[in-house]
Amino acid sequence: MEATIEVNGLRKAYGSTVALDGMTFTVTPGRVTAFVGPNGAGKSTTMRVVLGLDRVDAGTALVGGRPYRSLRTPLRHVGALLDASALHPARSGRDHLLWQAHSQGLPGQRVDEVLTLTGLADVGRRRAGGYSLGMRQRLGVAGALLGDPPVLMLDEPFNGLDPEGIRWMRGFLRALAAEGRAVLVSSHLMSELQDTAGHLVVVGRGKVVADTSVADLIAAASSDRVTLRTTARTEAMTALARVGATVAVTERDTLTVDGLPADRVVTVLSEAGVPFSEIAAHRATLEEAYMELTRDAVEFRATEVAR
Amino acid sequence: MRSALYAEWTKLRTTAGPFWLVVLAAVLTTALSAVAARAVSCAATGCGVDAPLVALTGVQLGQAVVAVLAVMVVGDEYRTGMIRTTLAATPSRAILLGAKSLVVAGATLAAAVPGVLGAWLAGRLIMPGRGFTAEHGYAPLSLTDGGTLRAFAGSALYLTLVALLSLGIAAAVRDAPTGVGVVLGVLYMAPILVAVVSDPDWVRRLRQIMPSDAGTAILHTVDLPSLPIGPWPGLGVLALWSAGALLLGGLLLRLRDA
């Protein structure tokens, strides 16, 4: 089976509230696709539609080319984590996975494997009701991995994780994608997916606002701004101004250069024989690039809330 | 279907609630029957008491526990949100409800068979001391007697059908307290409603179609022609109610967002 999620023209309204307004995107194998947007943008609804839990007014959602409800052992095709707290508090974590394994014809041994994989081997026999949110997220990921599926779909997996857990989750997602799986991860905090996501699907108000590779996005958002440290301030300013750069003094021996890429700055200064001790190109973080992108799509703007 | 059934069985046995409800249903069925058996007496031949019916009084209480058990099987999943995990694992709503039905029926029989056997034993041991003796025309309760066997085995089937009715209703209302309320309303309120109808023809008609009235016809062993409906047709009416509730629950499960 092809490891893809194909979402095409999803529309759904709850009364007069439009939840999905032509949501369309494809998740391809081998990379982590970040599914980001403000709360209420339609991320969770889309994931529920993909899993055949919610119906749509129009459009299709296919996993590996097939509608979810037609899959006989769906957890072997796609592993999903929607709500980590959706478990019976009196049942142990291991038993919570065990019934899911049995529903797919998987042996109990597979349960122990995914418990080890997610670092829950020691607490598997404890009541899941006593788990911290971080442990529940790990349990949810363990459930998603039960059927060793080629497609993974995780809704806000970073919620409730401590810094160590966030690091673990990032590495884990990268590794799963590196194995050739299609991994879709939703988040409303872009910074969580820094260095993890290779592709970005940004949504707002029920539709896709941007569908781009992370590298392209960051390159576009990073302006040609270079920070320069030099003892020969005046000489540097003169040399750079001559080739058209805008130079500003930020500290006693620090300059900010706009309008010239870092490698050109280096060339100009070397040719003019100006000494410098440090040069750094400013690079936008994924968060900054994302904020730039969604400035207009945010459902509730701070100004509106403030009124 | 087999793996869905296996999963539902694993769910049922990995929390303590269902086990204790099964025990409670069996104990209460036997206990109330024993109390009822002590409360009746037969002073002379022709006292007209339906001895097996008295010994099966506990079924009236056991059915409430069985109903709660069945409602919990669905209601707990909606309360915790686990239903979405369940539907993700078994996307076919028909297979899921079928698997839940079989598991609930099995758990109910696990409660009903010992509960009803306990009721039989209580009746057999207690009732002779209350005047139900050979000289008043009563043999000790025996499961080799056709009518008695039908009443006792039928009551186990009655409890199973009540559980399936409850399961269907729970799937339709998606909430345990509401589900229990509706089921107990259907089971216990209907006879009360019938009581306020004055026209005897209508009373008879209503008692032919109400699930608990029609279903409990299976518990009677004497004066059957005076019942509004025969034992097996009565159980059939209850079975139709159960099938209808499951069909409704399954349909709503299919059509609504989870």
Side-chain angles (χ1 to χ4, degrees):
Chain A
M1 174 188 119
E2 220 186 329
T4 56
I5 301 171
E6 293 159 276
V7 168
N8 197 355
L10 297 184
R11 287 182 190 281
K12 183 179 180 64
Y14 298 99
S16 62
T17 313
V18 176
L20 298 177
D21 186 15
M23 182 75 74
T24 302
F25 63 89
T26 300
V27 182
T28 52
R31 65 186 182 193
V32 175
T33 300
F35 192 33
V36 291
N39 288 327
K43 303 187 296 289
S44 297
T45 305
T46 302
M47 288 185 160
R48 283 203 303 273
V49 169
V50 170
L51 292 181
L53 296 174
D54 283 14
R55 303 181 78 82
V56 281
D57 304 328
T60 55
L62 302 177
V63 178
R66 293 174 60 185
Y68 192 87
R69 285 199 191 192
S70 77
L71 300 172
R72 292 200 64 90
T73 52
L75 302 192
R76 292 167 182 250
H77 298 271
V78 51
L81 163 61
L82 285 196
D83 177 3
S85 296
L87 41 77
H88 197 295
R91 194 174 278 127
S92 77
R94 188 178 185 282
D95 286 339
H96 179 66
L97 296 175
L98 192 61
W99 73 256
Q100 291 181 67
H102 288 164
S103 74
Q104 310 296 304
L106 294 164
Q109 179 202 339
R110 180 62 189 156
V111 170
D112 295 317
E113 284 171 18
V114 294
L115 280 173
T116 306
L117 214 55
T118 51
L120 292 173
D122 293 339
V123 295
R125 292 182 189 275
R126 277 172 34 193
R127 291 173 66 251
Y131 285 12
S132 68
L133 186 50
M135 284 157 81
R136 289 178 193 204
Q137 294 282 19
R138 284 171 185 258
L139 185 64
V141 172
L145 291 172
L146 264 181
D148 194 17
V151 178
L152 283 154
M153 198 167 69
L154 311 174
D155 195 8
E156 302 274 358
F158 294 98
N159 269 2
L161 292 186
D162 53 19
E164 142 66 22
I166 290 177
R167 250 168 42 110
W168 170 81
M169 183 69 79
R170 283 176 176 166
F172 204 67
L173 295 175
R174 273 199 303 267
L176 290 168
E179 289 167 13
R181 295 176 218 262
V183 183
L184 181 68
V185 182
S186 82
S187 175
H188 64 281
L189 292 176
M190 195 63 247
S191 54
E192 291 168 344
L193 288 160
Q194 180 96 39
D195 306 326
T196 306
H199 198 82
L200 198 59
V201 174
V202 182
V203 293
R205 299 178 194 258
K207 58 182 162 225
V208 173
V209 178
D211 189 338
T212 170
S213 94
V214 168
D216 289 352
L217 180 72
I218 289 182
S222 306
S223 54
D224 284 338
R225 171 172 292 184
V226 176
T227 309
L228 178 70
R229 190 186 286 269
T230 173
T231 47
R233 203 170 76 187
T234 320
E235 292 87 335
M237 286 178 82
T238 313
L240 289 168
R242 203 182 306 135
V243 293
T246 313
V247 186
V249 181
T250 45
E251 275 171 56
R252 207 166 60 81
D253 56 354
T254 308
L255 301 176
T256 306
V257 185
D258 273 309
L260 211 62
D263 51 344
R264 282 280 292 138
V265 172
V266 172
T267 316
V268 169
L269 293 178
S270 305
E271 281 170 0
V274 180
F276 59 94
S277 56
E278 199 180 310
I279 184 161
H282 172 82
R283 213 173 135 68
T285 62
L286 189 52
E287 171 101 37
E288 287 167 340
Y290 164 68
M291 292 310 283
E292 182 105 340
L293 200 61
T294 53
R295 202 175 294 148
D296 304 321
V298 177
E299 188 105 9
F300 300 105
R301 298 287 301 278
T303 50
E304 288 173 27
V305 174
R307 256 189 308 175
Chain B
M1 180 72 193
R2 260 182 57 194
S3 41
L5 188 60
Y6 192 13
E8 288 302 323
W9 163 240
T10 304
K11 272 186 208 169
L12 197 75
R13 71 176 177 80
T14 51
T15 53
F19 173 78
W20 289 113
L21 285 173
V22 164
V23 171
L24 186 68
V27 168
L28 286 182
T29 301
T30 298
L32 183 64
S33 292
V35 170
R38 276 201 64 82
V40 289
S41 58
C42 183
T45 307
C47 58
V49 174
D50 188 340
L53 179 63
V54 169
L56 284 168
T57 306
V59 169
Q60 300 291 340
L61 191 55
Q63 68 177 357
V65 183
V66 159
V68 169
L69 169 69
V71 168
M72 286 304 170
V73 163
V74 174
D76 260 1
E77 295 211 17
Y78 277 102
R79 181 172 57 80
T80 58
M82 205 178 84
I83 187 71
R84 287 191 280 276
T85 315
T86 295
L87 287 171
T90 309
S92 163
R93 276 58 174 165
I95 288 179
L96 178 67
L97 204 56
K100 282 195 182 292
S101 298
L102 286 175
V103 165
V104 162
T108 306
L109 283 172
V113 169
V116 167
L117 283 176
W120 163 72
L121 204 62
R124 188 182 169 95
L125 295 178
I126 296 168
M127 292 182 81
R130 303 299 300 164
F132 293 86
T133 52
E135 58 200 73
H136 293 154
Y138 286 95
L141 287 179
S142 166
L143 294 179
T144 54
D145 172 66
T148 308
L149 178 64
R150 191 252 302 140
F152 279 85
S155 63
L157 293 177
Y158 169 80
L159 288 172
T160 307
L161 289 171
V162 165
L164 293 177
L165 172 69
S166 310
L167 180 69
I169 288 174
V173 302
R174 303 196 284 187
D175 172 62
T178 313
V180 170
V182 171
V183 171
L184 295 187
V186 166
L187 290 179
Y188 295 111
M189 289 292 287
I192 297 171
L193 286 177
V194 168
V196 301
V197 176
S198 54
D199 184 86
D201 284 344
W202 268 104
V203 168
R204 193 177 170 83
R205 249 170 255 156
L206 282 172
R207 294 190 57 191
Q208 284 171 343
I209 57 166
M210 286 303 178
S212 53
D213 268 314
T216 49
I218 197 81
L219 309 183
H220 292 257
T221 61
V222 299
D223 205 11
L224 297 180
S226 73
L227 290 173
I229 190 164
W232 290 111
L235 202 64
V237 168
L238 174 61
L240 283 178
W241 274 82
S242 306
L246 284 173
L247 216 61
L248 176 71
L251 197 69
L252 290 174
L253 202 56
R254 204 181 160 87
L255 294 179
R256 285 193 296 212
D257 289 350

